[in-house]
Amino acid sequence: MRNHRLDVQPIAGAMGAEVLGVDLSEELDEPTFGEVHRALLDHGAIFFRDQDITPSQQMAFAKRWGSIHLHPHMPCLPDHPGIIEVVKKETDVHTFGGNWHTDQMFTPTPARVTMLYAKEVPEAGGDTAFANLYMAYDALSDGMKAMIADLRTISLYDKKKKRAATMKPTEPENDPEPAEHPLVRPHPETGRKALYISYEGITRHIAGMTEEESRPILSYLMNHATRPEFTCRFRWRPGSMALWDNRRVLHLAINDYNGYRRVMHRITVEGERTL
Ligand code: SIN
């Protein structure tokens, strides 16, 4: 396969692109990595098809983006610290990641990039949806932009979330520490402003306001941010790899395949402090 000058093909009007001509089992040279990085900044989520990679090769690629962000509550593969096996079995009803969110927003240095590699997928269903938070911010009225400009949000780990039975989080010993983030987050690399928010189980309230006061504003912003015209949807095949930029996209695992099995390998790369 070629190792530079990529073919990048958008998959929807709002965001997301397939990147052709890259073999992720090989170490990418600097110009090729630079182009992949550019594609991620431009499209928010990028997708590679027909990859045949080992956990070690996935980890080597992940480390090109920064330090691995260990999820504080989800166990990793025994031989590969940093890789979470996201499994939904035929008998599971709930899924992992089944609400709109941006990864590990309940920590002070939430994930920068997430990398998800498909091992086993149902014949149909189990797509992942993404939403473009630059577009969501840009489409707000000037009045709303002014009102939320300096607000901060308080996020917490969602202990009550129903996950696939196989995905058992370790119980936090103490109540999780809240994490504070700006509601409007300038992207650390592009400078563009994005809404920065997750579903109500994580983004609990606006700093200085009660949950009751905050909820109408946060619900409005979540509904707005996930309008279909701001989204794309990726259909997996075994060997597909997705990378997304959590600093400016939301994502959601669509739970429409009860009775079928889906297995993915997930790595997150640590991001910057937001404040
Ligand atoms: C996640 O939320 O990280 C998982 C998404 C998926 O399984 O599609």
Side-chain angles (χ1 to χ4, degrees):
M1 285 203 185
R2 274 174 308 162
N3 206 7
H4 59 95
R5 289 256 67 82
L6 308 183
D7 187 0
V8 179
Q9 298 185 353
I11 66 161
M15 62 166 295
E18 277 200 26
V19 177
L20 310 178
V22 180
D23 178 356
L24 297 175
S25 70
E26 290 175 6
E27 187 179 334
L28 304 186
D29 59 31
E30 275 308 322
T32 307
F33 183 75
E35 285 186 48
V36 171
H37 186 182
R38 184 74 255 158
L40 183 67
L41 291 179
D42 290 347
H43 298 280
I46 51 175
F47 311 104
F48 304 85
R49 294 286 189 193
D50 304 321
Q51 302 295 319
D52 185 6
I53 56 168
T54 63
S56 305
Q57 287 165 335
Q58 188 182 355
M59 183 54 80
F61 183 49
K63 285 185 174 163
R64 298 286 296 268
W65 300 86
S67 325
I68 303 310
H69 196 234
L70 291 177
H71 193 293
H73 310 298
M74 295 306 305
C76 293
L77 285 176
D79 298 337
H80 296 282
I83 301 186
I84 296 176
E85 190 159 67
V86 175
V87 186
K88 184 173 182 243
K89 289 193 300 204
E90 292 85 339
T91 47
D92 286 334
V93 176
H94 302 292
T95 190
F96 179 80
N99 298 79
W100 285 106
H101 65 287
T102 162
D103 282 330
Q104 281 112 258
M105 194 176 170
F106 49 84
T107 68
T109 52
R112 172 187 183 198
V113 174
T114 301
M115 203 166 282
L116 196 63
Y117 177 58
K119 304 280 294 174
E120 291 176 56
V121 293
E123 217 166 274
D127 296 355
T128 305
F130 299 89
N132 181 340
L133 293 168
Y134 288 155
M135 284 181 94
Y137 175 77
D138 289 346
L140 293 172
S141 65
D142 289 345
M144 179 60 99
K145 283 182 184 156
M147 188 181 93
I148 65 173
D150 298 318
L151 297 181
R152 293 174 175 192
T153 56
I154 304 297
S155 289
L156 276 160
Y157 177 61
D158 186 359
K159 284 208 286 187
K160 296 201 187 113
K161 172 120 181 59
K162 292 195 165 64
R163 295 177 174 83
T166 334
M167 303 287 300
K168 283 251 176 307
T170 53
E171 270 303 307
E173 275 177 23
N174 303 311
D175 274 346
E177 285 288 313
E180 188 162 332
H181 300 295
L183 179 53
V184 178
R185 180 178 184 192
H187 191 283
E189 293 180 79
T190 67
R192 271 188 78 175
K193 287 182 180 169
L195 280 179
Y196 194 56
I197 189 170
S198 288
Y199 74 97
E200 69 277 6
I202 291 179
T203 304
R204 303 289 175 88
H205 65 95
I206 293 169
M209 294 189 198
T210 64
E211 292 200 11
E212 289 74 16
E213 289 166 337
S214 311
R215 189 50 38 210
I217 303 171
L218 295 177
S219 295
Y220 170 76
L221 292 173
M222 275 306 274
N223 290 334
H224 167 79
T226 54
R227 274 163 43 183
E229 63 271 31
F230 300 153
T231 68
C232 73
R233 177 173 174 151
F234 182 63
R235 182 166 187 179
W236 296 93
R237 296 197 301 252
S240 302
M241 166 82 95
L243 254 79
W244 61 86
D245 184 344
N246 287 289
R247 301 164 300 180
R248 60 91 137 198
V249 303
L250 289 169
H251 63 281
L252 161 80
I254 299 175
N255 189 15
D256 60 351
Y257 58 102
N258 280 352
Y260 295 88
R261 184 177 165 84
R262 180 176 182 270
V263 181
M264 319 290 273
H265 281 184
R266 175 186 185 275
I267 303 179
T268 45
V269 175
E270 185 162 26
E272 307 78 3
R273 283 195 166 269
T274 61
L275 288 169

